[in-house]
Amino acid sequence: MRFCPGLAMCAAVFLVQPAMADPTDVEVRVIARGAKFLGGYAAPVRIVLTDADTGETLAQGTTSGTTGDTQRIMGGERGARKSDADSAVFRARLDIDRPRRVTAQATGPLSQPQAVTTATSTQWILPGRHLTAGDGWLIELPGLIVDIADPVAYQWAKKGEAVGLRVGVTMLCGCALSESGPWRAGDTEVEANVTVNGVVSRPVKLQFDAASATFGASIPATASGLYEVEVRAWMGPTNNAGVARTAFFVR
């Protein structure tokens, strides 16, 4: 035992002792609004944990794992755990010696740049109090992945013909739309806004084709020049939206 000759000296010795850091585990999961976890075949999400007061980066990385069990996520009771052992997650161990007000920033899906969005959440993390119960730190990302399969960018078409437009639309986790599944194509409006040589024409509505699980329409090539196409998708029941763009030439 260390001997302190006086009360004042003992207090001084006590005050200079450094605080001991406690390893604190944090699990961050990212779920697509109205759908499943991000981190499987739809590509991971980048997670950055920072001290909200100082800006110090505490941990960063990407989610990994599967999109999870559909029935567990979509059919479970309100408030019940959605994740299982394989569900996509980012795990970090923070060595902190005092309570930290931490901000988690989630950005993704990284494989689909046109659909990337960011959400942040802030909460206190206490030394030694693991943030791992249930789904851990659960963050929701809104949006839809809109992917234009045809026409390819800057291809040439002939004047007087119709140019076929084919578009894939999925939930942000990569979950496909269908006529009768959990994510219904009938809940989604898809339209193309076409600009011809800088002049905006009337929107073209796309129809869902169940066989290919894509949306399609034809764009009349009535004039020569540059056609710029912006496809907008809107899923009203979940307030999800997505956008993709392409362009082609007509001669």
Side-chain angles (χ1 to χ4, degrees):
M1 180 180 293
R2 189 171 184 178
F3 176 73
C4 292
L7 182 61
M9 185 174 294
C10 286
V13 171
F14 175 77
L15 289 174
V16 299
Q17 296 299 312
M20 297 296 292
D22 283 326
T24 306
D25 294 333
V26 178
E27 294 181 352
V28 181
R29 291 179 177 84
V30 181
I31 195 164
R33 178 184 291 168
K36 301 171 69 175
F37 293 102
L38 280 79
Y41 53 80
V45 175
R46 182 184 302 110
I47 304 295
V48 181
L49 301 181
T50 59
D51 186 302
D53 298 309
T54 67
E56 175 191 358
T57 298
L58 304 176
Q60 58 183 317
T62 56
T63 57
S64 63
T66 71
T67 56
D69 181 83
T70 302
Q71 182 58 37
R72 187 185 188 105
I73 296 170
M74 305 299 294
E77 295 181 3
R78 185 178 179 85
R81 178 172 178 166
K82 297 178 180 293
S83 60
D84 56 30
D86 298 323
S87 299
V89 63
F90 167 71
R91 292 186 173 93
R93 173 162 290 181
L94 308 181
D95 289 324
I96 55 177
D97 56 11
R98 56 183 172 80
R100 295 279 195 118
R101 204 164 58 95
V102 177
T103 294
Q105 182 183 77
T107 301
L110 300 180
S111 68
Q112 298 292 327
Q114 79 281 15
V116 167
T117 188
T118 297
T120 61
S121 176
T122 300
Q123 65 173 293
W124 283 103
I125 295 182
L126 308 180
R129 301 295 186 181
H130 304 306
L131 209 166
T132 57
D135 295 313
W137 196 339
L138 186 62
I139 299 176
E140 180 187 84
L141 281 182
L144 297 169
I145 295 174
V146 180
D147 186 30
I148 300 175
D150 198 38
V152 297
Y154 299 114
Q155 76 173 38
W156 286 90
K158 291 183 179 180
K159 181 179 176 180
E161 297 182 350
V163 176
L165 177 62
R166 187 165 57 90
V167 177
V169 179
T170 70
M171 306 303 290
L172 213 60
C173 54
C175 302
L177 307 187
S178 63
E179 291 184 321
S180 58
W183 305 284
R184 297 178 182 272
D187 293 333
T188 308
E189 301 173 39
V190 183
E191 68 176 24
N193 289 263
V194 183
T195 301
V196 182
N197 298 322
V199 178
V200 179
S201 60
R202 295 182 61 183
V204 177
K205 186 175 181 179
L206 279 69
Q207 301 295 329
F208 183 70
D209 174 47
S212 62
T214 61
F215 291 82
S218 293
I219 301 175
T222 56
S224 300
L226 174 64
Y227 285 62
E228 297 172 279
V229 182
E230 180 181 82
V231 178
R232 305 172 184 176
W234 169 248
M235 182 178 282
T238 55
N239 295 315
N240 277 318
V243 175
R245 300 180 179 91
T246 190
F248 60 90
F249 293 104
V250 172
R251 59 185 173 189

